[in-house]
Amino acid sequence: MASYYNEHTIVYLDGKYVKSTEAKVDLYGQTLHYGLGVFEGIRSYRNVNGDTKIFKAWEHYERLRKSAEALNMPYPWHDIDLINATYEVLQRNNLQDAYIRPLVYGPANMSFNLNAESHIVIEVWEMGKFLGDKLLRVMTSPFQRPNPAAFKIEAKACGHYVNSILASQDAKAKGYDEALLTDMHGFVAEGPGANMFYEKDGKLITPALGNILPGITRATIIELCQELKITVEEKQFTPDTLKQADSAFFCGTAAEVIGWESLDEVKFPLNWNDSLGRVLQQAYKDRVTEQALAPEKLDGNKGLKSKEAIATR
Ligand code: PMP
């Protein structure tokens, strides 16, 4: 098992900084029993100036709040306070390049009734690339993404990850690196923990919103494409269409940008190093480490305390 914490690790729990080993969770909690909870996956990076920067912190905390609202969970926190708390947790754990996991969970409640309160914990740990750095052999999964009429599919909800885990474990048991899930109509949706793009004839195509988690990395890739004058289309397509692609990749906070070797044993013909995915992999890396920002836009402050300080980042 991976080691996420040791006896020195500090987490932010309901407004306090406490040791992981001393924090307690209620065994009668609604989230533990039924999966009704929400979370985020965020990364921080040591930037070119040596400062710690949480990538797209506002976007992630906004999605956390919207996810909680979608699941009718009380959410009494302000984004600014949670962002400052996250920088503090990073500093207390002496981490710059880190994975950050805020989790909002419910109190003891074995009924299906609304809760009057929620809890929040922010954990940080060191994490390498979620899907490694070798090109992936991907398999179309027999598991489909949940029907959006049954779940709030745009929310990053704990319970949704039962579907992700089933698909990912099934693909690995069959000798593949990762699964690709379709939606309930058989159109390509996303990976268990990442969105995807493919390249065809010099253009990029990605599944439209509606049956996928609206990824912050996906939005960043679209932004980078606009800057780099790469055409991107958001539309529905099948795994058979995808097998005709020149190249393909997954993207996500944890996975960053990672190319595919094949889908269902069908190899993508374009050399990864000649693909748009490779260009975007580098552009993404430069963006998260602020390599692409002019030095005058970097202010060098650590320990952010005001919205203005963060808003300039
Ligand atoms: N889809 C799913 C199912 C995910 O779990 C993730 C990871 N949060 C993504 C897509 C990518 O989202 P993001 O780029 O915001 O990390």
Side-chain angles (χ1 to χ4, degrees), residues 39-42 60 63 99 101 130 145 153 155-156 160-161 163-164 181 189-196 212-220 251-256 284:
F39 69 97
E40 265 307 316
I42 314 175
H60 281 283
R63 188 170 68 186
Y99 185 73
R101 172 55 59 83
F130 175 59
R145 287 299 281 163
I153 195 73
K156 198 165 167 61
H160 296 179
Y161 286 81
N163 170 254
S164 294
L181 291 88
E190 58 190 329
N195 294 115
M196 68 82 51
I212 58 173
L213 185 80
I216 290 165
T217 319
R218 176 185 179 278
T220 307
C251 69
T253 299
E256 301 180 319
Y284 184 76

Side-chain angles (χ1 to χ4, degrees), residues 60-223:
H60 281 283
Y61 278 104
E62 184 185 11
R63 188 170 68 186
L64 186 66
R65 179 164 29 79
K66 286 190 174 157
S67 295
E69 283 165 7
L71 268 54
N72 305 321
M73 300 181 77
Y75 195 89
W77 306 287
H78 295 294
D79 298 353
I80 178 77
D81 298 328
L82 296 178
I83 293 172
N84 281 329
T86 308
Y87 275 105
E88 182 71 29
V89 177
L90 287 168
Q91 205 164 45
R92 287 185 187 225
N93 289 288
N94 211 4
L95 284 174
Q96 290 200 293
D97 289 304
Y99 185 73
I100 301 159
R101 172 55 59 83
L103 169 70
V104 174
Y105 60 97
N109 179 3
M110 291 295 104
S111 81
F112 298 161
N113 297 336
L114 284 176
N115 291 314
E117 63 188 58
S118 299
H119 299 281
I120 188 164
V121 63
I122 303 173
E123 301 163 356
V124 299
W125 63 86
E126 256 181 304
M127 187 170 77
K129 288 192 190 297
F130 175 59
L131 294 172
D133 53 12
K134 288 209 294 283
L135 295 184
L136 302 175
R137 294 176 55 253
V138 178
M139 183 195 95
T140 307
S141 182
F143 293 96
Q144 296 185 328
R145 287 299 281 163
N147 178 346
F151 287 90
K152 297 284 181 71
I153 195 73
E154 72 290 352
K156 198 165 167 61
C158 298
H160 296 179
Y161 286 81
V162 174
N163 170 254
S164 294
I165 291 171
L166 287 171
S168 192
Q169 291 185 352
D170 174 64
K172 286 165 190 163
K174 291 173 178 158
Y176 291 88
D177 298 313
E178 192 52 292
L180 173 71
L181 291 88
T182 55
D183 67 19
M184 58 184 291
H185 301 297
F187 293 111
V188 171
E190 58 190 329
N195 294 115
M196 68 82 51
F197 285 77
Y198 75 84
E199 174 177 351
K200 180 75 181 172
D201 299 332
K203 281 195 312 199
L204 284 184
I205 295 105
T206 193
L209 298 180
N211 292 303
I212 58 173
L213 185 80
I216 290 165
T217 319
R218 176 185 179 278
T220 307
I221 294 293
I222 294 173
E223 247 170 62

